Amino acid sequence: MTLRLHDYLPSGNGYKVRLLLSQLGISFERIEYDIQRGETRTPEFLGKINANGRIPVLETDDGEFLPESNAIIFYLAEGTPFFPEDRLERTRVLQWMFFEQYSHEPNIAVARAMLHVFDLEMTEKRQAVLEQKQKLGYDALGVMENHLEDREYFVGGRYTIADIALYAYTHVADEGGFDLSDYPAVRAWIARVASQPDYVPITQG
Ligand SMILES: N[C@@H](CCC(=O)N[C@@H](CS)C(=O)NCC(=O)O)C(=O)O
């Protein structure tokens, strides 16, 4: 049986998995859900695929369902050049992946979803939420900019799943209203990631 990815094409979290699978040369079947129509909230999805009602979920060869994008890319990268062997470097990779989930994705991905993915009416309340998300998103971009000023990649001088996790929503941050012109190190890193072998764009299913 091939791997199955339960997915939604515009999702940066899904894209992390698609990008790594492409770079590992692993073929997979993609199952698309329309999250705007609640397709990840059906009793069947909640009961069998992810009780948390969200994609991405990787269905493994032996029938396990793995949710959480960063857990999935960790699972796939273990034992490959995309995850270091050194203990401290492994921990640094996790450090950046937790940063992505706590300080980056909830702000940059949500601003992008509001402006680009969902067809939302911009009420005053939503505008205030968006502005707060953008402020916190810029804070996260500032942390990344400082770190990348004298580095090519996030950990150990080479491309790892920390870069994949952070790239997913950073490279489409403009769709959430972010302007990266004051973040030259982040922009150079985005170009570096996009030139990796077997790179695929977020729009490719
Ligand atoms: N922490 C999760 C977040 C997953 C997530 O937020 N998925 C969104 C799409 S990007 C989703 O499935 N939303 C559907 C819903 O909440 O109903 C991850 O990294 O995989």
Side-chain angles (χ1 to χ4, degrees), residues 19 22 29 35 65 123 156 166 191:
L19 178 57
S22 163
E29 182 189 347
I35 65 171
F65 290 89
T123 58
L166 281 162

Side-chain angles (χ1 to χ4, degrees), residues 96 99 104 137-154 166 170 179-190 192:
W96 284 109
F99 164 83
H104 184 289
Y138 276 121
D139 290 348
L141 290 168
V143 173
M144 292 169 66
E145 179 70 17
N146 280 341
H147 187 71
L148 290 169
E149 255 159 22
D150 53 1
R151 291 178 183 86
E152 297 214 324
Y153 297 100
F154 274 89
L166 281 162
T170 306
D179 176 1
L180 296 188
S181 43
D182 288 339
Y183 300 82
V186 170
R187 284 190 283 113
W189 165 81
I190 287 174
R192 234 172 265 132

Side-chain angles (χ1 to χ4, degrees), residues 8 11-13 16 35 40-41 53-56 68-70 101 105 169:
Y8 171 60
S11 165
N13 288 317
K16 295 170 193 173
I35 65 171
T40 59
R41 300 285 167 160
R54 290 178 171 84
I55 58 83
E68 293 297 331
S69 58
N70 288 354
Q101 283 286 292
E105 192 262 15
Y169 286 106

Side-chain angles (χ1 to χ4, degrees), residues 17-26 28 197-200 204:
V17 185
R18 279 176 252 140
L19 178 57
L20 180 61
L21 284 168
S22 163
Q23 295 182 319
L24 288 169
I26 298 175
F28 63 103
D198 298 311
Y199 174 87
V200 286
Q204 186 173 315

Side-chain angles (χ1 to χ4, degrees), residues 6-8 10-17 33-41 45 50 52-57 66-72 100-101 105 109-110 112-113 117-118 169:
H6 300 266
D7 197 9
Y8 171 60
S11 165
N13 288 317
Y15 173 57
K16 295 170 193 173
V17 185
Y33 295 83
D34 186 343
I35 65 171
Q36 299 194 61
R37 295 181 59 196
E39 288 180 1
T40 59
R41 300 285 167 160
F45 190 96
N50 182 5
N52 197 26
R54 290 178 171 84
I55 58 83
V57 177
L66 291 179
E68 293 297 331
S69 58
N70 288 354
I72 301 169
E100 189 266 347
Q101 283 286 292
E105 192 262 15
V110 172
R112 171 177 177 258
V117 180
F118 299 123
Y169 286 106

Side-chain angles (χ1 to χ4, degrees), residues 103-104 107-108 132-142 178:
S103 301
H104 184 289
N107 301 308
I108 296 178
Q132 177 67 359
K133 294 285 171 195
Q134 287 175 332
K135 190 212 161 290
L136 294 171
Y138 276 121
D139 290 348
L141 290 168
F178 293 90

